[in-house]
Amino acid sequence: MRRLLPLLLLAPLLSALPGSPGQAAPAPPPARAARYEAQIRWTEHGIPHITADDFGSLGFGSGYAAAENSICTLLDTLITGRGERSRWFGPSARYRDQVTLDATNLQVDTVVGDLHNRRVVEKLLRSPAGPRPVTKRMVAGYTAGLNAWLARNEVTDPACAGEPWLKQKATPVDLWYGVYLANLLASTGVFVPQIADADPPSLDDPGLPEVPVSAADVDVDALLTALGRDPEAPFGSNATAAGRAITSTGRGMLLGNPHFPWRGRYHFTQQHLTIPGEYDVAGASLIGSPAVNIGWNKDVAWSHTVSTAYRFTPYEYRALGPTTYLTDGGPAQLERRLVKVRVRTPGGGLRTVTEDVYRTPQGYVVDSPATLMPWSLTSVWAIRDANAEHLRTVDTFLEMGRATSVRDLLRRQDAMGGMPWVNTTAADRAGRVLYADHSVVPHVTNEMKQQCLTPVGLLLDQLVGLPGLDGTFAGSRCAWGADADAQRPGILGPRRLPEAFRDDWVMNANDSYWLPNPAERLEGFPTIIGCERCERTMRTRMVSQYVIDRIRGGRKETPRSFRGHQYENRLRAAEVAREGGALDRLCARTGEDEACRVLARWDGRSDADSVGTHLFEAFIAAAPADALWKVPFDPARPLATPRTLNEDSPQLVAAMQAAIDGLRAAKVPLDAAWGDLQVAGDRGADPLPLGGGTGDAVGNANALASRFPVQNRDRYRPITYGSSHIQAISFLDGGRLDARTILTYSQSENPRSPFSQDQTELFSAERWVRFAWTDAQIEADLLRSEVVRG
């Protein structure tokens, strides 16, 4: 019994163990609840309508849908943000973002690698200049959605199918670095090669180029090009908002057309984001943005145009030695920072190279003779970048989606403080309209500027409006100021920034803020934002003229007439040049009868079936801009001057002859239809005929350009840039709205997708997509629906 007693006492315990005879097996543990859940309803043209109960799940659905449409570019953006381009694509290959950045992969990785070494993004994520918790949750959901799509789907896009980097998982920090680099597009991003390759001068290489002594010694176009503002290849957009005083509905209307690349990091995809009862916004987002950048909700519609304001200021320091400079506190040493970069070797292996960059407390040292900022034995330049000091861009766009009026839209934008480099034009249901340049601008007042300009800095300011400040006092009297109403120190607050609220109409087409409406002048602002009483481009004049001509005589803009301006394809420079028959007489002086007959019969437009557009475009391209017009610009008549073609000018006659000769040399028929010459040039695109054409100089609002074409390169003008996500939004009675859109290069990058060319075909035919906004419209256009979890 003494031996059996322990066994008898253990028996009840043994019988309770799992799997014991007579004991039922335990229930399996409950399945882990999904952290994210979103419904994606895909409508015609591959447009995702994403519904979720919280912003993390909304981001998850957005990332999942973005991966479906743009997986190769999305992952390429994250590789860039990691500083790994040299590892995957080789150090000497070039990275062109199609906007401002043009550098080797090694140069890009050097600068991005230093950002990582300094943990710039990680620090901003924890700072008042960083994103709110709700935005962090949305970005975390977005990257989780991207990873989920990759885990569940095969990549079939030939651009990246089978690539080893598809196996890398995205993290929220990866995406935040991608967002951060987009902020730098018009500032640090312009100077990546000049930062990465900056080396101290020596006696053998003192870095002393010929310094201009006056404005007359400087090629201003070359200077602007080096600053990322190439006059021959501008980047920008149009936006017009019509208010209740001129609309047939008595409510607001918006026509927005951003001119951006048709491929790469800065192209748009369309989406519709909904949290029932809390958030409902649709429109377009740049690659890697979980929020809608340009779009509308039930009460407000908005678009953006690239602003003329500078996002940085250069500081010039007096050099005391190759790496020593003077401050008001005495000599200081440049900070040299080493960056290790993993690069792919020709044999396919990897090795590590060490690069370096230099910094002052204000920012990166640049060696940029083309912008009058060389690193020499007498001076050294560094740039301070206002967009490098925040991470509020996604917050800004996300918060704008909650707006209830145009005033509320601007108030929310200002509170977030992260509009990186664009103007805002908007219309609301009540019929009010807005133009504002409340973007991120360094706090450099005109008074401070006058105290702090160096001699070369003064030259930069006079020529291109960029103040070059004295680095000796960069930490004291020449430091950026602060405004109490700004989101953070160092940037101009809303009260110092231009805005216009009106009931009739406003517009912007990338000229400065000065003239949002012919009856309104915005003046007295810091010159770092832009010029006042300055000439407008022909594109600005055309966009304005559309509305002026429509409402002349008391007519109203209807939803149909307003959106119709997109496809009118008028050329303002041609309209001005043909006044009184001047263009025909100038052409006759060449003796080129065939070409002149074509020009005389030309309809003056850039429709696909227009004949003669190419002759006029070639003439304007060849003509000296300062010789075109007899009547110069007059600030009192900014939309009517300059005017009167200088038909007797030998320079212009020679330009017309050069245009004709150039077309003949290119074997382009003089009587060719424009659509036979100008075609889609994006990857995988058929040579679809396109209307539209050159923007600023020719005055085409439907601006298109050929930059680094990849398809149909045998055609005269294969298009890869310009009109992109176009939206025409009209608010109607009864809480309704009419949303018409076109994504010119279509929704999917994958040429194997049915949505890679369908909207391009509509754009070619000058048609619109009726964007599904209500549940009933979505159900009517529904192609498929899925619930995605992760």
Side-chain angles (χ1 to χ4, degrees):
M1 288 295 294
R2 285 193 302 269
R3 290 193 297 268
L4 290 174
L5 184 59
L7 296 175
L8 292 172
L9 293 173
L10 285 170
L13 298 175
L14 293 170
S15 66
L17 292 173
S20 301
Q23 178 70 26
R32 181 182 66 85
R35 182 179 180 185
Y36 304 112
E37 181 175 310
Q39 181 187 29
I40 306 177
R41 290 178 290 175
W42 297 90
T43 56
E44 292 181 5
H45 310 293
I47 299 171
H49 303 258
I50 302 154
T51 304
D53 291 335
D54 58 79
F55 280 97
S57 294
L58 197 63
F60 184 87
S62 177
Y64 197 97
E68 173 118 345
N69 284 319
S70 308
I71 187 61
C72 296
T73 297
L74 184 51
L75 291 179
D76 184 90
T77 299
L78 298 184
I79 287 171
T80 305
R82 293 188 192 110
E84 293 183 346
R85 297 198 64 83
S86 299
R87 174 184 176 183
W88 297 109
F89 310 126
S92 60
R94 298 201 73 80
Y95 176 58
R96 294 186 179 97
D97 68 8
Q98 315 294 313
V99 183
T100 58
L101 177 56
D102 185 355
T104 67
N105 288 334
L106 182 58
Q107 290 168 332
V108 173
D109 292 342
T110 298
V111 175
V112 176
D114 184 64
L115 297 176
H116 279 272
N117 291 347
R118 293 191 292 120
R119 298 183 64 79
V120 170
V121 163
E122 290 86 344
K123 291 175 183 176
L124 284 171
L125 287 170
R126 299 190 299 270
S127 82
R132 300 169 298 166
V134 64
T135 312
K136 293 178 184 178
R137 292 194 295 271
M138 193 174 193
V139 166
Y142 187 93
T143 54
L146 162 60
N147 291 332
W149 188 91
L150 271 174
R152 300 168 193 175
N153 294 274
E154 178 186 358
V155 175
T156 60
D157 189 335
C160 67
E163 292 288 348
W165 39 266
L166 293 175
K167 300 174 183 177
Q168 289 189 309
K169 281 199 170 184
T171 70
V173 171
D174 291 338
L175 190 67
W176 281 118
Y177 269 100
V179 170
Y180 183 80
L181 292 177
N183 285 353
L184 309 183
L185 174 149
S187 44
T188 300
V190 176
F191 292 97
V192 166
Q194 291 77 20
I195 293 168
D197 293 346
D199 286 318
S202 65
L203 292 176
D204 294 332
D205 182 13
L208 293 172
E210 184 177 344
V211 178
V213 295
S214 70
D217 299 320
V218 179
D219 182 337
V220 176
D221 285 353
L223 176 58
L224 286 167
T225 299
L227 289 168
R229 300 179 175 219
D230 184 354
E232 299 301 318
F235 64 99
S237 312
N238 313 321
T240 310
R244 59 195 177 202
I246 70 162
T247 62
S248 62
T249 60
R251 301 188 180 277
M253 300 178 186
L254 178 85
L255 177 60
N257 180 0
H259 303 151
F260 252 43
W262 282 26
R263 66 181 188 278
R265 168 71 179 87
Y266 296 106
H267 88 263
F268 290 100
T269 58
Q270 296 172 317
Q271 61 175 344
H272 183 181
L273 303 174
T274 304
I275 297 177
E278 182 178 355
Y279 196 80
D280 195 19
V281 61
S285 307
L286 292 176
I287 292 292
S289 173
V292 168
N293 305 135
I294 289 175
W296 68 92
N297 63 23
K298 67 183 182 67
D299 293 315
V300 188
W302 67 93
S303 193
H304 298 297
T305 54
V306 173
S307 154
T308 57
Y310 284 99
R311 315 300 156 188
F312 68 98
T313 59
Y315 280 95
E316 184 179 16
Y317 309 81
R318 188 182 307 168
L320 301 177
T323 60
T324 306
Y325 62 98
L326 182 65
T327 74
D328 53 1
Q333 288 292 316
L334 296 175
E335 179 188 11
R336 182 188 182 214
R337 300 187 54 81
L338 300 180
V339 183
K340 295 184 182 299
V341 181
R342 297 281 281 169
V343 304
R344 192 182 67 188
T345 65
L350 291 175
R351 65 185 180 92
T352 299
V353 300
T354 301
E355 299 292 315
D356 60 12
V357 295
Y358 290 83
R359 288 181 59 85
T360 72
Q362 283 64 52
Y364 284 113
V365 169
V366 297
D367 185 5
S368 180
T371 60
L372 312 185
M373 294 184 280
W375 187 356
S376 72
L377 290 173
T378 59
S379 71
V380 59
W381 294 79
I383 57 171
R384 183 178 175 188
D385 186 344
N387 271 327
E389 299 177 7
H390 77 95
L391 205 54
R392 301 279 290 184
T393 307
V394 181
D395 292 81
T396 301
F397 290 120
L398 190 62
E399 190 65 14
M400 289 171 68
R402 297 181 181 273
T404 58
S405 67
V406 291
R407 285 194 180 274
D408 187 43
L409 182 86
L410 190 59
R411 180 185 66 79
R412 291 174 184 273
Q413 178 181 314
D414 290 339
M416 294 300 101
M419 187 56 70
W421 24 258
V422 289
N423 306 287
T424 300
T425 302
D428 66 24
R429 179 169 293 282
R432 294 283 283 166
V433 295
L434 160 73
Y435 161 78
D437 187 350
H438 281 214
S439 53
V440 173
V441 184
H443 194 292
V444 177
T445 64
N446 294 343
E447 295 76 18
M448 184 270 262
K449 179 186 74 171
Q450 293 305 323
Q451 296 176 17
C452 294
L453 292 171
T454 66
V456 177
L458 175 63
L459 199 58
L460 285 168
D461 189 54
Q462 291 174 337
L463 292 171
V464 295
L466 175 63
L469 306 179
D470 190 341
T472 306
F473 305 100
S476 53
R477 62 183 175 86
C478 297
W480 295 354
D483 283 334
D485 60 339
Q487 193 273 332
R488 59 191 174 276
I491 58 174
L492 295 173
R495 283 193 291 271
R496 292 187 190 268
L497 295 168
E499 63 186 46
F501 292 93
R502 299 183 65 86
D503 291 336
D504 49 5
W505 62 282
V506 293
M507 61 75 60
N508 185 266
N510 306 121
D511 277 318
S512 71
Y513 57 84
W514 175 56
L515 194 73
N517 177 283
E520 184 153 0
R521 308 290 196 272
L522 301 177
E523 297 181 349
F525 293 93
T527 60
I528 194 171
I529 309 172
C531 62
E532 298 171 2
R533 302 176 64 80
C534 48
E535 186 175 336
R536 310 285 92 178
T537 66
M538 283 293 180
R539 178 161 58 91
T540 289
R541 290 169 64 176
M542 190 73 266
V543 173
S544 299
Q545 200 66 39
Y546 281 145
V547 181
I548 292 169
D549 288 349
R550 173 67 191 183
I551 65 176
R552 184 177 287 130
R555 289 191 304 170
K556 301 283 190 179
E557 286 280 14
T558 68
R560 178 184 292 273
S561 72
F562 197 56
R563 67 175 177 265
H565 298 323
Q566 166 59 36
Y567 289 129
E568 285 192 47
N569 291 330
R570 290 166 56 186
L571 278 61
R572 189 60 182 154
E575 293 175 354
V576 176
R578 295 178 108 182
E579 290 174 356
L583 182 65
D584 291 338
R585 290 192 296 272
L586 183 148
C587 187
R589 286 178 169 82
T590 66
E592 295 280 358
D593 293 344
E594 180 188 3
C596 296
R597 281 195 299 271
V598 170
L599 267 183
R601 295 169 182 168
W602 175 42
D603 62 8
R605 298 178 183 255
S606 60
D607 290 328
D609 59 357
S610 296
V611 177
T613 307
H614 58 313
L615 276 166
F616 187 75
E617 286 237 356
F619 163 64
I620 291 295
D626 58 358
L628 268 172
W629 312 108
K630 291 182 179 178
V631 179
F633 171 71
D634 179 358
R637 304 189 66 198
L639 296 179
T641 56
R643 71 175 196 277
T644 309
L645 186 67
N646 194 5
E647 60 184 278
D648 300 320
S649 166
Q651 289 178 287
L652 295 193
V653 175
M656 181 65 78
Q657 187 65 61
I660 297 168
D661 292 344
L663 291 170
R664 285 196 178 114
K667 296 182 169 49
V668 175
L670 297 179
D671 60 352
W674 186 231
D676 291 338
L677 307 176
Q678 179 172 267
V679 300
D682 193 22
R683 184 170 66 93
D686 290 337
L688 298 167
L690 300 177
T694 300
D696 287 5
V698 174
N700 204 319
N702 187 11
L704 298 173
S706 182
R707 302 182 188 175
F708 311 111
V710 294
Q711 196 83 7
N712 306 318
R713 285 182 288 185
D714 58 329
R715 297 301 184 100
Y716 177 71
R717 191 175 158 91
I719 296 302
T720 58
Y721 190 100
S723 296
S724 57
H725 164 76
I726 308 167
Q727 61 180 39
I729 311 300
S730 299
F731 292 103
L732 309 174
D733 290 341
R736 297 175 300 122
L737 62 82
D738 181 78
R740 307 297 176 99
T741 66
I742 196 74
L743 188 62
T744 57
Y745 38 75
S746 302
Q747 183 78 336
S748 176
E749 291 184 339
N750 186 350
R752 296 176 177 175
S753 166
F755 308 120
S756 70
Q757 188 172 278
D758 56 334
Q759 290 198 61
T760 313
E761 292 171 356
L762 294 177
F763 180 60
S764 172
E766 300 187 353
R767 295 171 57 195
W768 293 91
V769 171
R770 188 187 292 271
F771 196 102
W773 170 246
T774 67
D775 278 337
Q777 291 168 345
I778 292 170
E779 291 301 317
D781 285 354
L782 189 65
L783 299 178
R784 64 186 172 96
S785 179
E786 59 184 323
V787 175
V788 294
R789 299 180 178 89

